[in-house]
Amino acid sequence: MPDQVRFAKPSVLFVCVHNAGRSQMAAAYLTHLAGDRIDVRSAGSAPADQVNPAVVEAMAEEGIDISAETPKVLTVDAVRASDVVITMGCGDTCPVFPGKRYLDWTLDDPAGQGVDAVRPIRDEIRKRIENLVSGLLSEK
């Protein structure tokens, strides 16, 4: 049997302040669209107690259940283990390491918003994730 060359899966970390809205939606879409082809993480610089209920509802409308997700604290190890780090309003609290690709997505914060206000944020995140998936998987 010939030797097979295997490429490591790309890994992406989504970071926002509370890890309760934008980063949770982005991680859920990436997992939904890429399956096991991309490792996905999300975290927050100051995690909330729970995922925003309006975000859970908006994602359920897309057939994606994130009701069991919990906000996670951003760690240096999570950044170190990721190829691409996408920040969404966490400012300077995200550690920077050489050799990582950093993207900053300017998106409205769904904190304190109802589902009607969350839908356009969700839809914008989906568009960006679709572009990200095609880009990451074509680089392999």
Side-chain angles (χ1 to χ4, degrees), residues 43-122:
S45 54
D49 293 331
Q50 66 178 14
V51 176
N52 179 334
V55 167
V56 172
E57 183 179 342
M59 293 303 287
E61 292 175 354
E62 296 282 290
I64 301 172
D65 180 7
I66 62 169
S67 61
E69 296 297 325
T70 56
K72 294 165 274 315
V73 68
L74 176 64
T75 66
V76 170
D77 289 340
V79 176
R80 195 175 281 132
S82 302
D83 300 312
V84 180
V85 178
I86 299 175
T87 58
M88 304 172 186
C90 71
D92 297 332
T93 61
C94 189
V96 175
F97 292 98
K100 306 290 177 196
R101 186 160 87 192
Y102 290 87
L103 301 171
D104 185 41
W105 289 358
T106 303
L107 297 160
D108 290 337
D109 188 348
Q113 303 290 326
V115 72
D116 289 339
V118 172
R119 285 185 190 111
I121 301 166
R122 174 201 67 196

